[in-house]
Amino acid sequence: MATIIVVTSGKGGVGKTTTSAAFAMGLALRGHRTAIIDFDVGLRNLDLIMGCERRVVYDFVNVINGEANLNQALIKDKRVDELYILPASQTRNKDALTSEGVNKVLSELFERGFEYIVCDSPAGIEHGAFIALYFADEALIVTNPEVSSVRDSDRILGILASKSRRAENGAEPIKEHLLVTRYDPSRVNSGDMLAMEDITDILGIPILGVIPECPSVLQASNSGVPVILEDSSRAGQAYTDIVGRFLGENLPHRFTTPEKRGFLKRLFR
């Protein structure tokens, strides 16, 4: 039985799609058969970050509407055998996503032996976001270390607890994981950002990892490469740790304290 994981947040621009791409890639690198679905109908950025935008012929909505089958729409990643991408449509509106249609696609992915299905949710509280989280078994709540982002994430936690299929059926609640992006310990120390401990106190869910502010994130996205493949970068290492923790490894949290600068770094800062 596949595990459905939604990557969500209340606020846009916090790094959901970057996280979805890196997380799905990390699972596939560990040998887990993984599909990643873009639920952001009308915008569609996941294919750019995955570097497969020129290979999109059919999309998620085409499959839902019976205009193509799943085999035609799934794009196999060229770098990792176990990873497949299902892109969103750029020409439809979010109402094209129906619960029945999404459930049918997820069921077919189950039948094809996928272990993990990662759902890249749109930002905010709207139809596409509700559909993305409705079927979830687990959720990655992505937030920045700022008050407005954390507040919006708290709102999403309420929706996960009340409007998911698990909530409707009285089943075990969605397992929630907190992921803090664009974290800068030096700015935390100066009072410009919320500390990791403050965020966990406000949201009350366990933290899966911290992604440091890192230029490699933008560089990788522009190159169509999930940042987890940039294993020399701090962000790439942080996402690797996050996948490991998700899979049960006991790993210490890195990048949560200010970097110590040597004499030459201070001199040529």
Side-chain angles (χ1 to χ4, degrees), residues 216-251:
S216 296
V217 173
L218 181 59
Q219 294 164 6
S221 295
N222 288 338
S223 302
V225 177
V227 71
I228 197 170
L229 296 177
E230 303 288 342
D231 53 11
S232 61
S233 73
R234 294 186 304 150
Q237 294 166 24
Y239 276 115
T240 298
D241 289 351
I242 283 166
V243 173
R245 290 191 200 98
F246 180 84
L247 294 174
E249 297 176 15
N250 184 16
L251 300 172

Side-chain angles (χ1 to χ4, degrees), residues 41 58-70 72-73 86-105 108 127:
V41 174
Y58 294 107
D59 57 53
F60 192 15
V61 175
N62 290 139
V63 179
I64 288 174
N65 290 342
E67 299 158 352
N69 61 47
L70 186 60
Q72 291 175 294
L86 184 55
S89 171
Q90 281 185 309
T91 59
R92 312 291 180 98
N93 61 48
K94 291 176 173 38
D95 292 335
L97 296 178
T98 64
S99 294
E100 296 78 10
V102 172
N103 188 44
K104 181 181 177 181
V105 172
E108 190 169 344
H127 180 71

Side-chain angles (χ1 to χ4, degrees), residues 68-83:
N69 61 47
L70 186 60
N71 191 57
Q72 291 175 294
L74 277 177
I75 299 172
K76 187 176 184 297
D77 189 83
K78 291 182 177 180
R79 295 154 296 206
V80 183
D81 286 341
E82 299 296 334
L83 182 59

Side-chain angles (χ1 to χ4, degrees), residues 89-212:
S89 171
Q90 281 185 309
T91 59
R92 312 291 180 98
N93 61 48
K94 291 176 173 38
D95 292 335
L97 296 178
T98 64
S99 294
E100 296 78 10
V102 172
N103 188 44
K104 181 181 177 181
V105 172
L106 293 174
S107 297
E108 190 169 344
L109 289 170
F110 293 169
E111 293 169 2
R112 287 169 175 253
F114 283 93
E115 296 176 68
Y116 293 103
I117 300 170
V118 178
C119 302
D120 181 27
S121 171
I125 303 171
E126 43 85 8
H127 180 71
F130 281 121
I131 293 291
L133 66 81
Y134 179 76
F135 296 97
D137 300 307
E138 305 198 31
L140 302 187
I141 314 300
V142 183
T143 188
N144 289 158
E146 57 183 63
V147 172
S148 62
S149 182
V150 174
R151 180 190 62 186
D152 290 348
S153 294
D154 202 21
R155 172 65 173 148
I156 290 296
L157 289 174
I159 294 171
L160 287 167
S162 60
K163 290 187 176 291
S164 68
R165 179 170 60 175
R166 283 174 169 265
E168 288 181 0
N169 294 337
E172 286 291 319
I174 293 172
K175 187 175 182 180
E176 299 156 342
H177 311 272
L178 177 61
L179 196 154
V180 182
T181 57
R182 305 194 68 178
Y183 196 76
D184 185 341
S186 62
R187 294 188 65 191
V188 171
N189 286 350
S190 66
D192 295 331
M193 284 184 173
L194 292 173
M196 182 176 69
E197 295 78 11
D198 295 330
I199 299 169
T200 54
D201 284 346
I202 294 168
L203 296 180
I205 59 174
I207 189 160
L208 189 64
V210 169
I211 307 299

